[in-house]
């Protein structure tokens, strides 16, 4: 695969100067240049500085400040070079990565192929991980250092997404990380990366301080120092910004947007994210637990197994109204399981038109002219206005004859039950940088041996969709892979495997004088924050 020469957005070096006007004396004194410092309010805790221990979004987002990966993604989710200047498939089962020369770890030692091979092996050696990274390294069955700056990786069969998998595997110093404990990473002793910043101090659950790495291989960050403060609750995080205790916050509460838009001291950054909200439908049971007749008695036949009923539910949802009113504009209607711009997104698919009369006709054609009873389930503390979204969709369904009830739960309760397929119609949010990845997890026929369908709560199964997804994943030619992925998306959505609802929009708030464009992955990177001149 040909790779573009882009690294990260260019960041000019800058030092703030301060001047103090002395009005009473009529003269001005210019103070010496002071360090450029940035303070960021995080919405979630960073639990470890070991980049291979716990695969979670907040951890990964922060680790990009200390460590690098072979392949990275730009703010729009496109693959770009990082520690690997280029990569290509030599044959169907062999990928070659050419490493950037002269890259230094924070301790001054050079990064080489040996460090890369060690970093690819390390996730499988970690025990008791609450969220392992091994799914990204499992396809690799052999590793070879051709020379100091060339690595070849072998897979058992053709596997096109390998470069994308490697955006999640950070490269560590073999010398520093070998036999290192969690405590040694968290203290900084083993947290030796090649990233744009070095660790200064880590206070778990409270704050993290980092300093610019002046030996960084890429464009230098603008900031000499950055402090991350963990502010998990919405109100304290917003208060910290308004009080000037932090310069930027992520995950701005929707209810506070109007107030912030009217504040002359605050700017907002918004970006459509990779997180798509959709509905999973029970398609494997003849009798579904939360489907009833209008009197509340279980139906002997599960209507959700009929594609006409699934299409009727989709037509009953007024996505534009949902976005504008319930979500306060913080989303856009969805036709795909991934956001626009994501690899494999099928632009031919249009958002389902709101058509309540068409929905009623489909229900009648399927044998349900008077509708039926259905309980909708969803979380109430995970996604933007999630409980209100479930309530709104229930109202839409009631208008076409489906007598809908609502049950929402905290995420800690909801996910366990939903993954056990306890519900008939359940809401899920999903983010991925490739459509074939998403389809494999969400609509692929469940198979514990292959890992397919791990989030397929409704146990949808379609051999034609599975074949297209497999062809996409097995294509090392990026153009062919994306074509298969788009075909698979069309096949799954045409069969209403799930019902896409909307793509969330993430919001950051920052003090005037700063600029941040936001990212599709919702991550907050200090090196992409700039001062405005």
């Amino acid at each position: 695969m040909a790779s573009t020469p882009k690294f990260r957005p260019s960041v000019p070096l800058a030092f703030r100067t301060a001047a103090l006007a002395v009005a009473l004396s009529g003269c001005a004194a210019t103070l010496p240049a002071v360090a450029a410092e940035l303070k960021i309010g995080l919405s979630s805790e960073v639990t470890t500085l070991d980049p291979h221990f716990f695969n979670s979004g907040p951890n990964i987002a922060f680790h990009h400040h200390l460590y690098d990966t072979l392949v990275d993604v730009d703010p729009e989710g496109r693959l770009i070079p990082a520690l690997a200047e280029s990569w290509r498939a030599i044959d169907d089962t062999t990928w070659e990565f050419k490493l950037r020369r002269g890259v230094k770890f924070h301790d001054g030692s050079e990064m080489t192929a040996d460090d890369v091979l060690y970093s690819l092996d390390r996730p499988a050696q970690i025990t008791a991980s609450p969220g392992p990274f091994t799914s990204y390294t499992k396809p690799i069955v052999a590793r070879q250092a051709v020379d100091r700056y060339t690595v070849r990786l072998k897979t058992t069969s053709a596997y096109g997404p390998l470069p994308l998998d490697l955006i999640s595997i950070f490269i560590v110093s073999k010398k520093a990380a070998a036999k290192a404990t969690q405590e040694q990473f968290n203290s900084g002793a083993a947290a030796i990366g090649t990233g744009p910043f070095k660790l200064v101090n880590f206070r778990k659950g409270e704050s993290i301080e980092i300093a610019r790495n002046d030996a960084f291989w890429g464009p230098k960050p603008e900031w000499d120092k950055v402090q991350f403060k963990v502010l998990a609750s919405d109100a304290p995080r917003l208060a910290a910004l308004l009080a000037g205790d932090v310069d930027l916050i992520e995950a701005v509460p929707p209810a506070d947007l109007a107030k912030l838009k009217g504040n002359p001291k605050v700017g907002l950054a918004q970006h459509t994210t990779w997180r798509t909200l959709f509905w999973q439908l029970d398609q494997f049971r003849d009798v579904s637990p939360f489907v009833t007749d209008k009197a509340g008695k279980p139906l002997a036949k599960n209507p959700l197994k009929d594609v006409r009923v699934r299409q009727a539910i989709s037509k009953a949802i007024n996505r534009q109204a949902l976005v504008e009113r319930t979500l306060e504009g913080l989303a856009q209607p969805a036709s795909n399981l991934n956001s626009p711009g994501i690899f494999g997104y099928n632009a031919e698919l249009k958002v389902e038109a709101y058509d309540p009369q068409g929905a009623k006709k489909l229900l009648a054609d399927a044998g349900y002219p008077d509708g039926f009873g259905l309980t909708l389930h969803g979380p109430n503390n995970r996604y933007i206005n999630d409980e209100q979204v479930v309530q709104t969709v229930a109202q839409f369904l009631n208008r076409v004859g489906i007598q809908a009830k609502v049950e929402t739960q905290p995420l800690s309760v909801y996910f366990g039950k939903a993954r056990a397929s306890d519900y008939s119609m359940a809401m899920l949010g999903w983010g991925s940088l490739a459509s074939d990845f998403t389809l494999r997890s969400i609509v692929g026929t469940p198979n514990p041996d292959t890992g397919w369908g791990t989030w397929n709560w409704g146990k949808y199964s379609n051999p034609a969709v599975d074949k297209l997804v497999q062809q996409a994943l097995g294509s090392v030619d990026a153009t062919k892979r994306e074509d298969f992925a788009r075909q698979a998306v069309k096949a799954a959505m045409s069969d209403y495997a799930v019902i896409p609802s909307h793509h969330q929009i993430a919001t950051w708030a920052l003090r005037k004088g700063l600029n941040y464009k936001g990212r599709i992955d919702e991550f907050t990177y200090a090196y992409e924050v700039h001062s405005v001149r």
Side-chain angles (χ1 to χ4, degrees):
M1 182 179 80
S3 52
T4 61
K6 184 178 178 183
F7 308 138
R8 293 190 170 104
S10 178
V11 183
L13 287 173
F15 294 91
R16 294 177 186 169
T17 58
L20 176 63
V22 186
L24 292 177
S25 65
C27 64
T30 302
L31 300 178
V34 296
E37 185 171 357
L38 181 70
K39 297 180 180 180
I40 295 176
L42 297 177
S43 60
S44 299
E45 178 185 355
V46 176
T47 60
T48 177
L49 298 190
D50 182 340
H52 301 144
F53 182 71
F54 184 17
N55 182 8
S56 75
N59 287 346
I60 291 173
F62 176 75
H63 290 157
H64 272 282
H65 293 84
L66 303 181
Y67 311 94
D68 289 301
T69 51
L70 291 178
V71 183
D72 205 350
V73 291
D74 69 11
E76 304 307 317
R78 296 179 291 253
L79 294 182
I80 57 174
L83 292 180
E85 288 186 314
S86 64
W87 54 91
R88 66 189 178 107
I90 295 177
D91 55 47
D92 282 352
T93 60
T94 308
W95 285 89
E96 182 177 86
F97 295 81
K98 289 290 187 179
L99 304 184
R100 198 175 299 279
R101 295 170 181 254
V103 174
K104 303 292 186 181
F105 283 108
H106 295 158
D107 62 3
S109 61
E110 186 181 24
M111 186 275 301
T112 69
D114 284 343
D115 298 296
V116 172
L117 298 187
Y118 172 77
S119 299
L120 294 174
D121 285 335
R122 189 169 180 268
Q125 300 169 3
I126 291 178
T127 59
S129 168
F133 285 85
T134 47
S135 60
Y136 305 117
T137 58
K138 189 175 182 179
I140 303 169
V141 295
R143 306 157 177 78
Q144 177 190 7
V146 178
D147 57 42
R148 193 172 176 85
Y149 305 107
T150 306
V151 169
R152 286 184 182 171
L153 306 177
K154 295 281 291 184
T155 57
T156 53
S157 57
Y159 185 63
L162 186 64
L164 181 59
D165 279 352
L166 296 183
I167 71 171
S168 299
I169 301 298
F170 293 94
I171 305 305
V172 297
S173 163
K174 179 179 179 180
K175 180 178 69 174
K179 299 181 181 179
T181 64
Q182 286 288 302
E183 290 73 18
Q184 288 173 311
F185 271 96
N186 291 344
S187 71
I192 307 298
T194 59
F197 292 93
K198 300 178 180 181
L199 180 67
V200 175
N201 186 39
F202 175 48
R203 299 177 65 186
K204 188 175 179 179
E206 298 181 26
S207 65
I208 312 172
E209 296 176 38
I210 57 178
R212 183 172 58 209
N213 172 20
D214 289 324
F216 180 55
W217 55 267
K220 305 302 185 292
E222 178 174 339
W223 312 103
D224 298 301
K225 298 178 181 179
V226 181
Q227 182 178 117
F228 296 86
K229 295 184 178 181
V230 178
L231 301 167
S233 298
D234 291 343
R237 189 164 64 255
L238 180 61
L241 175 71
L242 296 178
D245 294 334
V246 296
D247 303 304
L248 180 152
I249 61 171
E250 57 187 11
V252 175
D256 295 312
L257 278 179
K259 178 172 63 176
L260 290 174
K261 286 178 180 178
N263 189 326
K265 297 181 179 180
V266 175
L268 296 176
Q270 293 187 311
H271 201 296
T272 300
T273 74
W274 59 357
R275 194 180 304 278
T276 300
L277 275 292
F278 56 93
W279 291 94
Q280 296 258 19
L281 304 174
D282 179 356
Q283 298 179 57
F284 71 101
R285 284 176 287 225
D286 291 330
V287 178
S288 193
F290 290 94
V291 177
T292 68
D293 62 17
K294 289 295 188 72
K297 296 181 180 179
L299 282 183
K301 182 180 180 181
N302 178 6
L304 302 177
K305 297 177 75 172
D306 191 318
V307 66
R308 294 169 296 184
V309 173
R310 301 197 297 272
Q311 184 178 13
I313 291 174
S314 183
K315 285 183 176 295
I317 300 173
N318 187 337
R319 291 169 177 80
Q320 193 59 43
L322 180 73
V323 163
E324 292 176 356
R325 301 169 193 169
T326 307
L327 289 158
E328 304 175 68
L330 293 178
Q332 66 180 84
S335 63
N336 280 231
L337 271 177
N338 286 103
S339 301
I342 293 293
F343 184 90
Y345 180 86
N346 192 326
E348 293 180 4
L349 299 176
K350 304 305 178 184
V351 175
E352 184 89 65
Y354 176 52
D355 184 6
Q357 293 307 314
K360 290 178 181 178
K361 184 178 184 306
L362 283 164
L363 289 173
D365 291 346
Y368 304 95
D370 299 321
F372 52 86
L374 176 64
T375 300
L376 310 188
H377 286 87
N380 55 26
N381 63 346
R382 173 57 173 167
Y383 311 116
I384 297 175
N385 293 353
D386 45 13
E387 184 170 16
Q388 296 94 312
V389 167
V390 181
Q391 294 281 1
T392 301
V393 171
Q395 293 172 20
F396 289 142
L397 296 187
N398 274 296
R399 293 173 188 173
V400 300
I402 297 176
Q403 187 173 293
K405 299 178 181 179
V406 167
E407 287 186 15
T408 62
Q409 300 160 327
L411 187 68
S412 58
V413 176
Y414 174 73
F415 258 11
K417 291 180 176 292
R419 291 197 70 173
S421 300
D422 285 357
Y423 305 134
S424 298
M425 181 168 171
M427 188 171 73
L428 175 64
W430 187 265
S432 170
L433 293 174
S435 293
D436 47 2
F437 270 17
T438 297
L439 293 174
R440 177 177 60 183
S441 295
I442 302 300
V443 303
T445 298
N447 185 331
D449 293 331
T450 63
W452 281 53
T454 51
W455 291 82
N456 185 351
W457 297 344
K459 292 185 169 48
Y460 171 82
S461 179
N462 184 331
V465 172
D466 287 346
K467 182 178 179 180
L468 287 167
V469 175
Q470 185 60 63
Q471 287 174 305
L473 294 170
S475 299
V476 295
D477 180 288
T479 301
K480 291 181 180 179
R481 178 187 164 207
E482 187 159 29
D483 182 59
F484 280 126
R486 286 173 176 154
Q487 291 181 53
V489 170
K490 184 176 182 179
M493 295 301 96
S494 298
D495 198 28
Y496 296 88
V498 296
I499 298 176
S501 177
H502 58 275
H503 311 297
Q504 286 192 169
I505 293 176
T507 304
W508 293 259
L510 53 164
R511 63 170 175 79
K512 286 293 185 182
L514 293 180
N515 176 264
Y516 188 64
K517 293 183 178 179
R519 296 181 55 89
I520 197 168
D521 52 25
E522 304 177 67
F523 292 166
T524 304
Y525 291 163
Y527 48 81
E528 290 180 357
V529 179
H530 309 283
S531 57
V532 179
R533 293 173 179 77

